[in-house]
Amino acid sequence: MKRSMKNLPIIIVLGVATLGAISCRKQDGKGKASALLSLRTDQKGSVPGGSDPQALCSFLKDKGYFPKNSYPTNTKVLFSTSYEVVEDSAGQGYGVVGADGFFEQQGNTTTQLLVCPGASSISGGKCNWKINGDDGYAQLAFDVVCNKRSRQGTKIHPGYSQQSASLVSYQASTAGQSTSGQDAVEVVLQGRESKARIVFAKGVGLVATVFQESLTPAGTAEVFIGGTSSGSMFGD
């Protein structure tokens, strides 16, 4: 229980339970849009001081990997959740950043219905999930990597025991769409029951998060920002 509570801050705001405020309801049939469901990175080098949150925080800011905590209106946002592991039955949804900085869901691509918190309809619409700003998702991901919100005196964010960072190229895909870049930093946080992968692209900021938790609620949550259409996943 203590271990689970230590993980609670990051899980609530970034991981499975963040999107756990999202309802996920299984429908009849098997999803056809699960072919694209991944975060692939190719390492290009190490990041100096990548295991130290303060040093990493300075590197990300100074080198332009976190220039801002907001995105232009209509920037694509792709997300998925699944129980236990990423699999064909994962719910996958997509939408855009609205003019007010909140997520606006536009649809799902699988028969596993995934709806954002506060959605205005069963298919999505206006949500209560803020992406932009000092109290938004992008800033929170940066603060977790820098361990800025810890009040427990731990060097690395509570719930994790190891942190590393690498220079990478990346391709992130889900919900029938993808986003990619050649110059990014991937931060990996590893704990006994938890793992996080957080990617920041140069000149853009946060572009990908993958959170996995083996305790209850066990599962995987992915959020990818900046997607472009890769065509229909239903073979239309």
Side-chain angles (χ1 to χ4, degrees), residues 114-153:
L114 185 62
V115 181
C116 60
S120 55
S121 73
I122 196 169
S123 60
K126 189 72 174 178
C127 304
N128 292 331
W129 180 17
K130 191 173 185 185
I131 305 292
N132 287 354
D134 292 342
D135 57 347
Y137 190 85
Q139 182 64 47
L140 194 52
F142 180 72
D143 288 352
V144 166
V145 165
C146 299
N147 198 22
K148 288 191 171 186
R149 302 193 178 190
S150 172
R151 298 179 181 176
Q152 302 181 35

Side-chain angles (χ1 to χ4, degrees), residues 36-42 71 74-79 93-95 168-184 197 199-202 204-210 222-231:
L36 291 177
L37 186 60
S38 66
L39 171 60
R40 296 186 179 93
T41 57
D42 291 321
Y71 308 88
N74 292 325
T75 296
K76 287 283 187 180
V77 178
L78 318 173
F79 68 108
Y94 63 92
V168 300
S169 60
Y170 72 95
Q171 180 173 9
S173 305
T174 196
Q177 302 179 52
S178 64
T179 182
S180 62
Q182 295 300 311
D183 190 355
R197 299 171 64 195
V199 180
F200 301 91
K202 192 161 191 174
V204 179
L206 178 70
V207 290
T209 63
V210 177
E222 301 177 311
V223 177
F224 305 140
I225 299 174
T228 55
S229 177
S230 61

Side-chain angles (χ1 to χ4, degrees), residues 50-70:
S51 62
D52 178 80
Q54 289 188 338
L56 177 58
C57 185
S58 296
F59 181 89
L60 292 172
K61 293 290 288 185
D62 295 345
K63 301 299 183 181
Y65 290 98
F66 193 74
K68 55 188 177 180
N69 59 13
S70 61

